[in-house]
PDB file of all heavy atoms in Angstrom:
ATOM      1  N   ALA A1021      -7.479  11.393  10.130  1.00 95.00           N
ATOM      2  CA  ALA A1021      -6.372  11.575   9.058  1.00 95.00           C
ATOM      3  C   ALA A1021      -5.278  12.308   9.635  1.00 95.00           C
ATOM      4  O   ALA A1021      -5.292  13.494  10.181  1.00 95.00           O
ATOM      5  CB  ALA A1021      -6.948  12.284   7.834  1.00 95.00           C
ATOM      6  N   VAL A1022      -4.004  11.802   9.318  1.00 95.00           N
ATOM      7  CA  VAL A1022      -2.748  12.365   9.880  1.00 95.00           C
ATOM      8  C   VAL A1022      -2.013  13.078   8.702  1.00 95.00           C
ATOM      9  O   VAL A1022      -1.973  12.503   7.597  1.00 95.00           O
ATOM     10  CB  VAL A1022      -1.778  11.321  10.498  1.00 95.00           C
ATOM     11  CG1 VAL A1022      -0.481  11.812  10.859  1.00 95.00           C
ATOM     12  CG2 VAL A1022      -2.545  10.703  11.738  1.00 95.00           C
ATOM     13  N   ARG A1023      -1.524  14.238   9.010  1.00 96.00           N
ATOM     14  CA  ARG A1023      -0.907  14.944   7.923  1.00 96.00           C
ATOM     15  C   ARG A1023       0.376  15.510   8.479  1.00 96.00           C
ATOM     16  O   ARG A1023       0.454  16.117   9.583  1.00 96.00           O
ATOM     17  CB  ARG A1023      -1.745  16.142   7.372  1.00 96.00           C
ATOM     18  CG  ARG A1023      -1.054  17.030   6.344  1.00 96.00           C
ATOM     19  CD  ARG A1023      -2.016  18.110   5.911  1.00 96.00           C
ATOM     20  NE  ARG A1023      -1.257  19.172   5.090  1.00 96.00           N
ATOM     21  CZ  ARG A1023      -1.171  19.131   3.851  1.00 96.00           C
ATOM     22  NH1 ARG A1023      -1.538  18.018   3.096  1.00 96.00           N
ATOM     23  NH2 ARG A1023      -0.514  19.933   3.160  1.00 96.00           N
ATOM     24  N   LEU A1024       1.592  15.424   7.760  1.00 97.00           N
ATOM     25  CA  LEU A1024       2.875  16.016   8.123  1.00 97.00           C
ATOM     26  C   LEU A1024       2.850  17.359   7.598  1.00 97.00           C
ATOM     27  O   LEU A1024       2.843  17.559   6.350  1.00 97.00           O
ATOM     28  CB  LEU A1024       3.898  15.126   7.534  1.00 97.00           C
ATOM     29  CG  LEU A1024       5.402  15.706   7.829  1.00 97.00           C
ATOM     30  CD1 LEU A1024       5.642  15.650   9.401  1.00 97.00           C
ATOM     31  CD2 LEU A1024       6.427  14.880   7.065  1.00 97.00           C
ATOM     32  N   GLU A1025       2.976  18.409   8.561  1.00 97.00           N
ATOM     33  CA  GLU A1025       2.734  19.723   8.092  1.00 97.00           C
ATOM     34  C   GLU A1025       4.171  20.391   7.764  1.00 97.00           C
ATOM     35  O   GLU A1025       4.263  21.191   6.852  1.00 97.00           O
ATOM     36  CB  GLU A1025       2.157  20.531   9.175  1.00 97.00           C
ATOM     37  CG  GLU A1025       0.695  20.093   9.412  1.00 97.00           C
ATOM     38  CD  GLU A1025      -0.216  20.462   8.472  1.00 97.00           C
ATOM     39  OE1 GLU A1025       0.077  21.288   7.622  1.00 97.00           O
ATOM     40  OE2 GLU A1025      -1.473  19.979   8.480  1.00 97.00           O
ATOM     41  N   CYS A1026       5.073  20.120   8.572  1.00 97.00           N
ATOM     42  CA  CYS A1026       6.441  20.745   8.477  1.00 97.00           C
ATOM     43  C   CYS A1026       7.489  19.928   9.203  1.00 97.00           C
ATOM     44  O   CYS A1026       7.179  19.343  10.249  1.00 97.00           O
ATOM     45  CB  CYS A1026       6.415  22.198   9.001  1.00 97.00           C
ATOM     46  SG  CYS A1026       7.927  23.161   8.739  1.00 97.00           S
ATOM     47  N   VAL A1027       8.731  20.068   8.728  1.00 98.00           N
ATOM     48  CA  VAL A1027       9.860  19.354   9.338  1.00 98.00           C
ATOM     49  C   VAL A1027      11.098  20.388   9.580  1.00 98.00           C
ATOM     50  O   VAL A1027      11.448  21.012   8.466  1.00 98.00           O
ATOM     51  CB  VAL A1027      10.326  18.009   8.713  1.00 98.00           C
ATOM     52  CG1 VAL A1027      11.682  17.468   9.397  1.00 98.00           C
ATOM     53  CG2 VAL A1027       9.267  17.063   8.691  1.00 98.00           C
ATOM     54  N   TRP A1028      11.592  20.484  10.696  1.00 98.00           N
ATOM     55  CA  TRP A1028      12.752  21.265  10.922  1.00 98.00           C
ATOM     56  C   TRP A1028      13.855  20.398  11.263  1.00 98.00           C
ATOM     57  O   TRP A1028      13.695  19.372  11.968  1.00 98.00           O
ATOM     58  CB  TRP A1028      12.597  22.248  12.194  1.00 98.00           C
ATOM     59  CG  TRP A1028      11.563  23.214  11.922  1.00 98.00           C
ATOM     60  CD1 TRP A1028      11.733  24.587  11.363  1.00 98.00           C
ATOM     61  CD2 TRP A1028      10.102  23.210  12.147  1.00 98.00           C
ATOM     62  NE1 TRP A1028      10.556  25.203  11.316  1.00 98.00           N
ATOM     63  CE2 TRP A1028       9.596  24.504  11.845  1.00 98.00           C
ATOM     64  CE3 TRP A1028       9.408  22.273  12.783  1.00 98.00           C
ATOM     65  CZ2 TRP A1028       8.234  24.798  12.009  1.00 98.00           C
ATOM     66  CZ3 TRP A1028       7.981  22.315  12.883  1.00 98.00           C
ATOM     67  CH2 TRP A1028       7.425  23.674  12.628  1.00 98.00           C
ATOM     68  N   CYS A1029      15.090  20.648  10.738  1.00 98.00           N
ATOM     69  CA  CYS A1029      16.193  19.722  10.664  1.00 98.00           C
ATOM     70  C   CYS A1029      17.449  20.325  10.970  1.00 98.00           C
ATOM     71  O   CYS A1029      17.891  21.288  10.291  1.00 98.00           O
ATOM     72  CB  CYS A1029      16.299  18.977   9.336  1.00 98.00           C
ATOM     73  SG  CYS A1029      17.295  17.409   9.453  1.00 98.00           S
ATOM     74  N   ALA A1030      18.179  20.027  12.110  1.00 98.00           N
ATOM     75  CA  ALA A1030      19.596  20.522  12.377  1.00 98.00           C
ATOM     76  C   ALA A1030      20.490  19.444  12.210  1.00 98.00           C
ATOM     77  O   ALA A1030      20.348  18.258  12.801  1.00 98.00           O
ATOM     78  CB  ALA A1030      19.440  21.089  13.791  1.00 98.00           C
ATOM     79  N   VAL A1031      21.569  19.699  11.331  1.00 97.00           N
ATOM     80  CA  VAL A1031      22.515  18.573  11.041  1.00 97.00           C
ATOM     81  C   VAL A1031      23.899  19.056  11.242  1.00 97.00           C
ATOM     82  O   VAL A1031      24.254  20.095  10.905  1.00 97.00           O
ATOM     83  CB  VAL A1031      22.348  18.225   9.390  1.00 97.00           C
ATOM     84  CG1 VAL A1031      23.259  17.084   9.199  1.00 97.00           C
ATOM     85  CG2 VAL A1031      21.017  17.889   9.343  1.00 97.00           C
ATOM     86  N   ASP A1032      24.700  18.404  11.886  1.00 96.00           N
ATOM     87  CA  ASP A1032      26.151  18.537  12.020  1.00 96.00           C
ATOM     88  C   ASP A1032      26.869  17.375  11.369  1.00 96.00           C
ATOM     89  O   ASP A1032      26.940  16.266  12.010  1.00 96.00           O
ATOM     90  CB  ASP A1032      26.669  18.638  13.506  1.00 96.00           C
ATOM     91  CG  ASP A1032      28.067  18.771  13.725  1.00 96.00           C
ATOM     92  OD1 ASP A1032      28.844  18.781  12.663  1.00 96.00           O
ATOM     93  OD2 ASP A1032      28.672  18.896  14.769  1.00 96.00           O
ATOM     94  N   ALA A1033      27.316  17.471  10.106  1.00 93.00           N
ATOM     95  CA  ALA A1033      27.880  16.338   9.406  1.00 93.00           C
ATOM     96  C   ALA A1033      29.382  16.564   9.234  1.00 93.00           C
ATOM     97  O   ALA A1033      29.926  15.858   8.595  1.00 93.00           O
ATOM     98  CB  ALA A1033      27.241  16.340   8.025  1.00 93.00           C
ATOM     99  N   GLY A1034      29.913  17.475   9.906  1.00 90.00           N
ATOM    100  CA  GLY A1034      31.274  17.757   9.864  1.00 90.00           C
ATOM    101  C   GLY A1034      31.683  18.445   8.536  1.00 90.00           C
ATOM    102  O   GLY A1034      30.914  19.215   8.095  1.00 90.00           O
ATOM    103  N   ARG A1035      32.872  18.078   8.070  1.00 85.00           N
ATOM    104  CA  ARG A1035      33.320  18.797   6.715  1.00 85.00           C
ATOM    105  C   ARG A1035      32.497  18.261   5.648  1.00 85.00           C
ATOM    106  O   ARG A1035      32.375  17.007   5.360  1.00 85.00           O
ATOM    107  CB  ARG A1035      34.740  18.511   6.487  1.00 85.00           C
ATOM    108  CG  ARG A1035      35.339  19.313   5.280  1.00 85.00           C
ATOM    109  CD  ARG A1035      36.808  19.027   5.161  1.00 85.00           C
ATOM    110  NE  ARG A1035      37.383  19.759   4.054  1.00 85.00           N
ATOM    111  CZ  ARG A1035      38.201  19.336   3.214  1.00 85.00           C
ATOM    112  NH1 ARG A1035      38.676  18.242   3.179  1.00 85.00           N
ATOM    113  NH2 ARG A1035      38.663  20.205   2.175  1.00 85.00           N
ATOM    114  N   LEU A1036      31.888  19.170   4.845  1.00 86.00           N
ATOM    115  CA  LEU A1036      31.120  18.797   3.583  1.00 86.00           C
ATOM    116  C   LEU A1036      31.885  19.073   2.437  1.00 86.00           C
ATOM    117  O   LEU A1036      32.557  20.059   2.130  1.00 86.00           O
ATOM    118  CB  LEU A1036      29.923  19.805   3.603  1.00 86.00           C
ATOM    119  CG  LEU A1036      28.926  19.647   4.751  1.00 86.00           C
ATOM    120  CD1 LEU A1036      27.772  20.551   4.552  1.00 86.00           C
ATOM    121  CD2 LEU A1036      28.392  18.196   4.763  1.00 86.00           C
ATOM    122  N   VAL A1037      31.919  18.002   1.590  1.00 85.00           N
ATOM    123  CA  VAL A1037      32.613  18.001   0.259  1.00 85.00           C
ATOM    124  C   VAL A1037      31.643  18.702  -0.813  1.00 85.00           C
ATOM    125  O   VAL A1037      32.057  19.361  -1.646  1.00 85.00           O
ATOM    126  CB  VAL A1037      32.963  16.644  -0.204  1.00 85.00           C
ATOM    127  CG1 VAL A1037      33.375  16.564  -1.650  1.00 85.00           C
ATOM    128  CG2 VAL A1037      34.031  16.100   0.598  1.00 85.00           C
ATOM    129  N   HIS A1038      30.346  18.437  -0.736  1.00 84.00           N
ATOM    130  CA  HIS A1038      29.295  18.850  -1.563  1.00 84.00           C
ATOM    131  C   HIS A1038      28.176  19.290  -0.874  1.00 84.00           C
ATOM    132  O   HIS A1038      27.175  18.513  -0.653  1.00 84.00           O
ATOM    133  CB  HIS A1038      28.968  17.761  -2.588  1.00 84.00           C
ATOM    134  CG  HIS A1038      28.072  18.137  -3.665  1.00 84.00           C
ATOM    135  ND1 HIS A1038      27.211  17.245  -4.231  1.00 84.00           N
ATOM    136  CD2 HIS A1038      27.815  19.306  -4.224  1.00 84.00           C
ATOM    137  CE1 HIS A1038      26.477  17.948  -5.277  1.00 84.00           C
ATOM    138  NE2 HIS A1038      26.820  19.099  -5.142  1.00 84.00           N
ATOM    139  N   PRO A1039      28.108  20.514  -0.336  1.00 86.00           N
ATOM    140  CA  PRO A1039      27.002  21.049   0.474  1.00 86.00           C
ATOM    141  C   PRO A1039      25.535  20.776  -0.119  1.00 86.00           C
ATOM    142  O   PRO A1039      24.580  20.384   0.640  1.00 86.00           O
ATOM    143  CB  PRO A1039      27.224  22.567   0.644  1.00 86.00           C
ATOM    144  CG  PRO A1039      28.803  22.694   0.552  1.00 86.00           C
ATOM    145  CD  PRO A1039      29.101  21.558  -0.544  1.00 86.00           C
ATOM    146  N   ASP A1040      25.379  21.041  -1.423  1.00 85.00           N
ATOM    147  CA  ASP A1040      24.120  20.707  -1.972  1.00 85.00           C
ATOM    148  C   ASP A1040      23.690  19.275  -1.954  1.00 85.00           C
ATOM    149  O   ASP A1040      22.598  18.849  -1.756  1.00 85.00           O
ATOM    150  CB  ASP A1040      24.016  21.247  -3.468  1.00 85.00           C
ATOM    151  CG  ASP A1040      22.569  21.401  -4.005  1.00 85.00           C
ATOM    152  OD1 ASP A1040      21.698  21.833  -3.364  1.00 85.00           O
ATOM    153  OD2 ASP A1040      22.514  20.730  -5.116  1.00 85.00           O
ATOM    154  N   GLY A1041      24.747  18.397  -2.095  1.00 85.00           N
ATOM    155  CA  GLY A1041      24.458  17.013  -2.153  1.00 85.00           C
ATOM    156  C   GLY A1041      23.968  16.601  -0.670  1.00 85.00           C
ATOM    157  O   GLY A1041      23.109  15.663  -0.510  1.00 85.00           O
ATOM    158  N   ALA A1042      24.601  17.196   0.294  1.00 89.00           N
ATOM    159  CA  ALA A1042      24.142  16.732   1.656  1.00 89.00           C
ATOM    160  C   ALA A1042      22.851  17.279   1.971  1.00 89.00           C
ATOM    161  O   ALA A1042      22.062  16.665   2.633  1.00 89.00           O
ATOM    162  CB  ALA A1042      25.230  17.577   2.640  1.00 89.00           C
ATOM    163  N   ARG A1043      22.385  18.583   1.518  1.00 91.00           N
ATOM    164  CA  ARG A1043      21.106  18.964   1.582  1.00 91.00           C
ATOM    165  C   ARG A1043      20.021  18.042   0.871  1.00 91.00           C
ATOM    166  O   ARG A1043      19.106  17.747   1.404  1.00 91.00           O
ATOM    167  CB  ARG A1043      20.879  20.342   0.994  1.00 91.00           C
ATOM    168  CG  ARG A1043      21.563  21.398   1.772  1.00 91.00           C
ATOM    169  CD  ARG A1043      21.261  22.859   1.136  1.00 91.00           C
ATOM    170  NE  ARG A1043      22.147  23.862   1.671  1.00 91.00           N
ATOM    171  CZ  ARG A1043      23.163  24.380   0.981  1.00 91.00           C
ATOM    172  NH1 ARG A1043      23.389  23.883  -0.171  1.00 91.00           N
ATOM    173  NH2 ARG A1043      23.947  25.329   1.546  1.00 91.00           N
ATOM    174  N   ASN A1044      20.456  17.500  -0.288  1.00 89.00           N
ATOM    175  CA  ASN A1044      19.564  16.656  -1.033  1.00 89.00           C
ATOM    176  C   ASN A1044      19.328  15.333  -0.147  1.00 89.00           C
ATOM    177  O   ASN A1044      18.283  14.734  -0.092  1.00 89.00           O
ATOM    178  CB  ASN A1044      20.196  16.296  -2.381  1.00 89.00           C
ATOM    179  CG  ASN A1044      20.117  17.602  -3.296  1.00 89.00           C
ATOM    180  OD1 ASN A1044      19.252  18.349  -3.163  1.00 89.00           O
ATOM    181  ND2 ASN A1044      20.903  17.606  -4.335  1.00 89.00           N
ATOM    182  N   GLN A1045      20.455  14.887   0.405  1.00 90.00           N
ATOM    183  CA  GLN A1045      20.309  13.599   1.150  1.00 90.00           C
ATOM    184  C   GLN A1045      19.389  13.796   2.327  1.00 90.00           C
ATOM    185  O   GLN A1045      18.616  12.962   2.598  1.00 90.00           O
ATOM    186  CB  GLN A1045      21.907  13.214   1.685  1.00 90.00           C
ATOM    187  CG  GLN A1045      22.657  12.688   0.532  1.00 90.00           C
ATOM    188  CD  GLN A1045      22.315  11.276   0.314  1.00 90.00           C
ATOM    189  OE1 GLN A1045      22.004  10.350   1.251  1.00 90.00           O
ATOM    190  NE2 GLN A1045      22.150  10.939  -1.030  1.00 90.00           N
ATOM    191  N   ILE A1046      19.598  14.944   3.066  1.00 94.00           N
ATOM    192  CA  ILE A1046      18.765  15.185   4.270  1.00 94.00           C
ATOM    193  C   ILE A1046      17.191  15.484   3.865  1.00 94.00           C
ATOM    194  O   ILE A1046      16.349  14.852   4.404  1.00 94.00           O
ATOM    195  CB  ILE A1046      19.301  16.408   4.989  1.00 94.00           C
ATOM    196  CG1 ILE A1046      20.651  16.153   5.567  1.00 94.00           C
ATOM    197  CG2 ILE A1046      18.338  16.786   6.227  1.00 94.00           C
ATOM    198  CD1 ILE A1046      20.819  14.975   6.256  1.00 94.00           C
ATOM    199  N   GLU A1047      17.012  16.262   2.747  1.00 95.00           N
ATOM    200  CA  GLU A1047      15.620  16.480   2.379  1.00 95.00           C
ATOM    201  C   GLU A1047      15.067  15.305   1.885  1.00 95.00           C
ATOM    202  O   GLU A1047      13.849  14.970   2.225  1.00 95.00           O
ATOM    203  CB  GLU A1047      15.656  17.644   1.371  1.00 95.00           C
ATOM    204  CG  GLU A1047      16.051  19.049   1.957  1.00 95.00           C
ATOM    205  CD  GLU A1047      16.356  20.120   0.867  1.00 95.00           C
ATOM    206  OE1 GLU A1047      16.125  19.848  -0.323  1.00 95.00           O
ATOM    207  OE2 GLU A1047      16.627  21.119   1.254  1.00 95.00           O
ATOM    208  N   GLY A1048      15.820  14.512   1.002  1.00 92.00           N
ATOM    209  CA  GLY A1048      15.210  13.258   0.514  1.00 92.00           C
ATOM    210  C   GLY A1048      14.935  12.194   1.562  1.00 92.00           C
ATOM    211  O   GLY A1048      13.946  11.524   1.622  1.00 92.00           O
ATOM    212  N   GLY A1049      15.882  12.249   2.636  1.00 93.00           N
ATOM    213  CA  GLY A1049      15.562  11.334   3.739  1.00 93.00           C
ATOM    214  C   GLY A1049      14.260  11.614   4.456  1.00 93.00           C
ATOM    215  O   GLY A1049      13.577  10.794   4.865  1.00 93.00           O
ATOM    216  N   VAL A1050      14.035  12.938   4.706  1.00 96.00           N
ATOM    217  CA  VAL A1050      12.825  13.385   5.327  1.00 96.00           C
ATOM    218  C   VAL A1050      11.635  12.928   4.575  1.00 96.00           C
ATOM    219  O   VAL A1050      10.720  12.330   5.122  1.00 96.00           O
ATOM    220  CB  VAL A1050      12.836  14.876   5.530  1.00 96.00           C
ATOM    221  CG1 VAL A1050      11.435  15.344   5.930  1.00 96.00           C
ATOM    222  CG2 VAL A1050      13.959  15.307   6.496  1.00 96.00           C
ATOM    223  N   GLN A1051      11.618  13.138   3.272  1.00 95.00           N
ATOM    224  CA  GLN A1051      10.452  12.858   2.543  1.00 95.00           C
ATOM    225  C   GLN A1051      10.170  11.280   2.464  1.00 95.00           C
ATOM    226  O   GLN A1051       9.209  10.960   2.497  1.00 95.00           O
ATOM    227  CB  GLN A1051      10.747  13.334   1.024  1.00 95.00           C
ATOM    228  CG  GLN A1051      10.697  14.843   1.046  1.00 95.00           C
ATOM    229  CD  GLN A1051      10.903  15.491  -0.403  1.00 95.00           C
ATOM    230  OE1 GLN A1051      10.066  15.202  -1.366  1.00 95.00           O
ATOM    231  NE2 GLN A1051      11.948  16.189  -0.662  1.00 95.00           N
ATOM    232  N   GLN A1052      11.417  10.643   2.236  1.00 93.00           N
ATOM    233  CA  GLN A1052      11.247   9.117   2.167  1.00 93.00           C
ATOM    234  C   GLN A1052      10.659   8.517   3.459  1.00 93.00           C
ATOM    235  O   GLN A1052       9.908   7.593   3.416  1.00 93.00           O
ATOM    236  CB  GLN A1052      12.643   8.565   1.805  1.00 93.00           C
ATOM    237  CG  GLN A1052      12.415   7.070   1.252  1.00 93.00           C
ATOM    238  CD  GLN A1052      13.717   6.414   0.625  1.00 93.00           C
ATOM    239  OE1 GLN A1052      14.746   6.924   0.919  1.00 93.00           O
ATOM    240  NE2 GLN A1052      13.594   5.436  -0.086  1.00 93.00           N
ATOM    241  N   ALA A1053      11.288   8.977   4.545  1.00 94.00           N
ATOM    242  CA  ALA A1053      10.817   8.538   5.872  1.00 94.00           C
ATOM    243  C   ALA A1053       9.475   8.749   6.182  1.00 94.00           C
ATOM    244  O   ALA A1053       8.580   8.001   6.705  1.00 94.00           O
ATOM    245  CB  ALA A1053      11.776   9.148   6.899  1.00 94.00           C
ATOM    246  N   ALA A1054       8.983  10.080   5.752  1.00 95.00           N
ATOM    247  CA  ALA A1054       7.558  10.281   5.834  1.00 95.00           C
ATOM    248  C   ALA A1054       6.635   9.394   5.043  1.00 95.00           C
ATOM    249  O   ALA A1054       5.622   8.967   5.468  1.00 95.00           O
ATOM    250  CB  ALA A1054       7.242  11.844   5.368  1.00 95.00           C
ATOM    251  N   SER A1055       7.089   9.089   3.844  1.00 95.00           N
ATOM    252  CA  SER A1055       6.354   8.098   3.081  1.00 95.00           C
ATOM    253  C   SER A1055       6.308   6.825   3.816  1.00 95.00           C
ATOM    254  O   SER A1055       5.189   6.011   3.731  1.00 95.00           O
ATOM    255  CB  SER A1055       7.039   8.059   1.710  1.00 95.00           C
ATOM    256  OG  SER A1055       6.211   7.119   0.877  1.00 95.00           O
ATOM    257  N   TRP A1056       7.486   6.182   4.284  1.00 94.00           N
ATOM    258  CA  TRP A1056       7.539   4.908   4.918  1.00 94.00           C
ATOM    259  C   TRP A1056       6.529   4.893   6.040  1.00 94.00           C
ATOM    260  O   TRP A1056       5.625   4.097   6.217  1.00 94.00           O
ATOM    261  CB  TRP A1056       8.813   4.642   5.559  1.00 94.00           C
ATOM    262  CG  TRP A1056       9.989   4.443   4.603  1.00 94.00           C
ATOM    263  CD1 TRP A1056       9.909   4.334   3.252  1.00 94.00           C
ATOM    264  CD2 TRP A1056      11.373   4.637   4.992  1.00 94.00           C
ATOM    265  NE1 TRP A1056      11.155   4.123   2.650  1.00 94.00           N
ATOM    266  CE2 TRP A1056      12.128   4.435   3.710  1.00 94.00           C
ATOM    267  CE3 TRP A1056      12.063   4.843   6.071  1.00 94.00           C
ATOM    268  CZ2 TRP A1056      13.385   4.354   3.724  1.00 94.00           C
ATOM    269  CZ3 TRP A1056      13.443   4.891   6.060  1.00 94.00           C
ATOM    270  CH2 TRP A1056      14.186   4.622   4.782  1.00 94.00           C
TER     271      TRP A1056
END
């Protein structure tokens, strides 16, 4: 059985208009990709 324990993520997105929105996009992408 395979289990994802932790993900570290470094992102350089340039100028951010909505920092929390960017965090949500990255965190959501990690979770969705893990599910896929």
Side-chain angles (χ1 to χ4, degrees):
V1022 177
R1023 176 181 172 85
L1024 179 63
E1025 300 287 349
C1026 187
V1027 175
W1028 295 268
C1029 193
V1031 183
D1032 173 4
R1035 184 180 187 220
L1036 294 179
V1037 167
H1038 183 205
D1040 189 51
R1043 289 188 194 96
N1044 289 337
Q1045 284 285 310
I1046 298 302
E1047 292 169 2
V1050 167
Q1051 294 179 62
Q1052 192 169 25
S1055 180
W1056 295 343

